[in-house]
Structures are given as structure tokens and as C-alpha cells.
Amino acid sequence: MHRLLADAFAAFLATLGLSAAAQPALTPEQLFERVSPSVWVVHTLDSERRPLMQGSAVVVGPGQLVTNCHVLRRARSVSVGRENMSFGATLEHPDTERDLCLLKVANFTVPAVTIAPADSLRAGARVYAIGAPRGLETTISDGLLSGIRRNAASAVEALQISVPISPGSSGGGLFDAQGRLIGITSAGLRDSQNLNFALPAEWIAEVPARAQAALSAKPAATATASTSTSSATASAGDRVFEYRLRERQTGVSQTVLLHLDRIEGGQRVFNRGERIERLDGGVVSVSKPVSGEFDLAMPPGGWVSGTPEPGSAWRLDYTVRHNDMVIRMELRARTSDTTTLNVGSRQIEVVRVLYNGFTHRVTGGHMINSSVYEATAWYAPALARVVRFDARARNQHIRIDEILELVDIRSE
């Protein structure tokens, strides 16, 4: 009832020609009461029903919620929930380039939020974020709209905010003092106090059309890639993949051999079961990390699987363990471009994926330290594998500067 009265009052003000700025600001309590029912928690599971990632989502239409696409990365099933309620969700429209995805939920009658006009944004205004940081659902925090970041064409491409953002906040709502949605909280920069970002809410209306355009362009791009890589397509006789792992500072290198033992159940088994990969390039398991940083810091499922779309971006927040070492990774991944690399006598088309973020490492129960982390993976769709991987991270405790390259493919 309160929501209906508020909407009616806003419409009445509009008929009088009053601007949104003339509407009274809500108290934080009033704002939370009005919009928090429209902010939900997103849960994702892999193909074996194991939890993958958790984020937030905002109701923007009948049975429709918006979240960050990186929250859905590698998900095989998605649900939205809060308190003791849960609903299955399906991906309706993905705009991976802008990291906004629309979810569809059947029999879902939660009211949608109101989206503020783009021209109402003012740097210095008080703003409020509602999401589920670290899984703590319907958490509200406040801060300032620190800056409106624009591209060379003067179009808004990010909202800089001082509101705290934590893992789980991705996909949550950023609201103005009138309780209108102005952005979708997306990312924060570590080691930079209160330097966080949200995606402009005005982009939400463009998601369906952009998703359709990307879908229409995909068959053409796939056909082009298939034609250009036909000479490099993996032969049935390819049984041995020889890599060279080199530590750049010392110049020390070693050979890493992957022997394909068999293909069964949609999986490729290497080195007597020490490494198992899916046919799309995803990694199922590695019991013996022989490829240096490529294996040690590898995300669940591998660095790249399938063929990422040009311009797509996603987030990787995960922890891996190797004996007494614990590696925590917080990365942002982005598909950069396509190029060709020579592997032996073959010229292979590859997709380049860039990774930037932070690594935190603990060994023997002692924190080594945290460091900025940069890596690049060159993925060959025709071979369904990464053919080159370059990783760098360095401070007084962590020194990573190595490259892994595929140098030969042969039958035995």
C-alpha cells in the first residue's frame, strides 16, 4: 500500500511539472522498506549440483531480474531466493560485453523497482546499495556518487561510488535518495579505499536488443573461425602435446608432455589419469600440477572453456589448495582479440583472454602476501585448449614471471 501511494504521489508531482529533485528524499529506513523486497540473492550450481558463486539481482520487470553476467559464469542451474523463499531462474537475455544479464522467473510477482532518468545523476549525491555481500542478504549501505565516468563519446560507462562493495554484492541495486535504481553494483578495486563501481541502470533497457544482436552475429563469426582454422583442426592422430615452461627471470625451462591415453564419456584422459579435460577444453581434474602457475592457480573448470565471445567479460573469485599451499584469486577476465600462433608446422587461430586482479597466498599456515596479478591466455578453439599462458605477479614475497607454450603436436 505504501508503495502504491508513493508511486501515485510521484505521478502527481509529474503532472505538476515538478522535477525528481523536488521530491523529498527518503530516510534510509523508508528507502530500505520500499526497495529491499525487490533485491534478491542469486545462487548458481555446476553440472553436479555443487555451489559455484553467489551474487545479487534486482527485479526490473514482471518475473524479470537483472544481475551481472559474471555471477552466472559456468553455471548449469540458477535460482534466486531470500529468507525462506527460492525460485528457479533461467537466463533470458545476456549482454556479456556490458556484464548485464536478465533472468526470467516463472510465477514471480515481486514488484519491480523504478529506474531513474539518466539525466538525474549528479556527482556528490547520496546513494544507497542493497545486495547480499558475503551472502548477508538484504544488506544496505550508503555513500556518495563519487563520479560519473564517461567514454570518448561522452556516454556514461560507469558510476564511481564510495559505497562499500564486497563479493556477493555483484548484481545488487544502487539507488538514489528517492529510492530509484541508478545502477547495478559490479566491482571494487582492492587496495583503493572506497573506490567502487556500478553499471548505469539506463543500460538495462538495452540488454534484450544487444543480446539479440550478439546472437545474430555469432553464426557468422563461428563460420569465419571454422573456415580460417580448418587446416589447424585437431587430427584424430594427435596424441602428444608438448609444452615448454620457462621462468623468464632465470631462463630455466622444462618440457611438459601431455599424453592422450583415451577419450571416454565426453572427456579426454591424459598421463594415466593425472589430467582429465572435457572436449570443450574445460578441465575436470589435475592431480599432478606439472605446468607451473598455469596448473597451480587454475580456476575450477580451467582458464578457458568453449569459445568466449569477443568483448565478453567475467569475474573469477576462487580458492585452490595444493598440499600446504592455499591460493586465493580475485580476477577480472576479458576477451581481447583473435590472432594466429605457430605451433610446430601449424598456424592456429587463437582467442586472447586477459586476466587482471590480485593473488593472495598462504603456505604452511603463514600468509606469504598479496600481489597484483596479470595473466594472458591464448585459447585455440580448434584444439580446445590453451596453447600459451603468460603470468606475472611480483612483490617482496611473491615472484611469478613465467610462460607456458605449446611447441609441438604429434601422434606419438
Side-chain angles (χ1 to χ4, degrees):
M1 179 61 71
H2 291 166
R3 178 71 174 273
L4 292 174
L5 289 174
D7 291 343
F9 180 63
F12 173 69
L13 290 176
T15 64
L16 295 179
L18 297 177
S19 67
Q23 299 180 36
L26 301 174
T27 67
E29 295 87 349
Q30 291 171 329
L31 185 142
F32 183 80
E33 182 180 0
R34 176 183 293 187
V35 301
S36 65
S38 300
V39 182
W40 288 61
V41 183
V42 178
H43 301 276
T44 64
L45 302 175
D46 64 13
S47 57
E48 298 181 5
R49 308 295 296 175
R50 294 175 299 193
L52 279 176
M53 193 171 183
Q54 185 172 286
S56 306
V58 183
V59 183
V60 293
Q64 191 175 66
L65 300 92
V66 65
T67 188
N68 288 139
C69 295
H70 72 254
V71 172
L72 311 177
R73 181 70 177 168
R74 296 192 178 91
R76 291 297 179 267
S77 63
V78 182
S79 64
V80 295
R82 54 176 289 153
E83 298 174 352
N84 61 347
M85 295 180 290
S86 181
F87 295 83
T90 56
L91 177 60
E92 185 177 28
H93 300 296
D95 182 358
T96 54
E97 183 177 5
R98 285 181 167 176
D99 199 21
L100 287 177
C101 281
L102 291 177
L103 300 172
K104 193 69 176 177
V105 180
N107 304 315
F108 192 76
T109 58
V110 176
V113 298
T114 299
I115 296 179
D119 59 6
S120 68
L121 301 179
R122 297 290 185 273
R126 177 68 58 181
V127 292
Y128 300 86
I130 299 180
R134 301 290 182 184
L136 301 173
E137 61 182 62
T138 55
T139 295
I140 185 172
S141 54
D142 69 340
L144 298 178
L145 179 56
S146 306
I148 302 172
R149 302 306 168 198
R150 301 178 183 272
N151 58 22
S154 296
V156 178
E157 60 179 12
L159 305 180
Q160 181 184 331
I161 56 178
S162 64
V163 183
I165 299 296
S166 301
S169 296
S170 292
L174 182 70
F175 300 91
D176 65 13
Q178 285 75 39
R180 301 173 306 174
L181 185 71
I182 65 170
I184 299 300
T185 55
S186 178
L189 297 182
R190 289 185 59 88
D191 299 334
S192 300
Q193 186 174 9
N194 286 343
L195 185 56
N196 304 306
F197 295 91
L199 303 174
E202 63 179 297
W203 284 359
I204 297 172
E206 302 172 9
V207 170
R210 288 174 57 86
Q212 184 59 47
L215 183 63
S216 299
K218 190 173 182 179
T222 302
T224 301
S226 298
T227 300
S228 60
T229 59
S230 58
S231 62
T233 301
S235 165
D238 291 343
R239 309 290 296 182
V240 179
F241 297 83
E242 180 180 338
Y243 286 83
R244 180 172 294 118
L245 175 64
R246 180 166 57 91
E247 211 288 327
R248 256 186 296 254
Q249 286 200 341
T250 63
V252 175
S253 64
Q254 64 186 68
T255 297
V256 177
L257 294 177
L258 299 182
H259 293 263
L260 177 61
D261 299 328
R262 62 189 184 278
I263 298 177
E264 61 179 24
Q267 297 180 341
R268 296 183 291 185
V269 181
F270 293 87
N271 296 2
R272 296 178 296 280
E274 292 177 353
R275 185 183 191 90
I276 302 176
E277 300 176 357
R278 298 196 308 267
L279 297 182
D280 68 352
V283 178
V284 178
S285 64
V286 177
S287 62
K288 196 172 182 180
V290 295
S291 302
E293 183 69 10
F294 179 76
D295 283 347
L296 288 173
M298 181 183 294
W303 288 99
V304 187
S305 60
T307 303
E309 298 179 2
S312 61
W314 62 96
R315 189 164 182 156
L316 296 169
D317 293 320
Y318 61 95
T319 300
V320 291
R321 292 173 171 82
H322 300 282
N323 298 323
D324 66 341
M325 175 173 282
V326 180
I327 302 176
R328 171 69 181 168
M329 305 292 286
E330 298 178 14
L331 303 175
R332 182 78 170 173
R334 178 174 61 87
T335 305
S336 174
D337 55 10
T338 60
T339 185
T340 57
L341 291 178
N342 292 323
V343 177
S345 60
R346 306 190 195 187
Q347 189 174 62
I348 299 175
E349 184 171 285
V350 294
V351 179
R352 191 160 62 113
V353 182
L354 308 178
Y355 303 87
N356 293 278
F358 296 85
T359 181
H360 320 274
R361 308 201 173 197
V362 176
T363 183
H366 301 287
M367 184 72 172
I368 298 177
N369 212 330
S370 301
S371 174
V372 172
Y373 192 92
E374 296 179 350
T376 304
W378 287 262
Y379 178 80
L383 300 176
R385 65 176 43 258
V386 173
V387 298
R388 182 175 179 178
F389 183 78
D390 189 328
R392 301 171 188 264
R394 183 174 181 179
N395 59 26
Q396 60 179 339
H397 300 289
I398 298 176
R399 292 190 178 183
I400 299 167
D401 191 1
E402 61 184 47
I403 183 168
L404 178 73
E405 294 180 282
L406 181 63
V407 296
D408 190 30
I409 308 171
R410 54 186 184 269
S411 58
E412 286 298 341

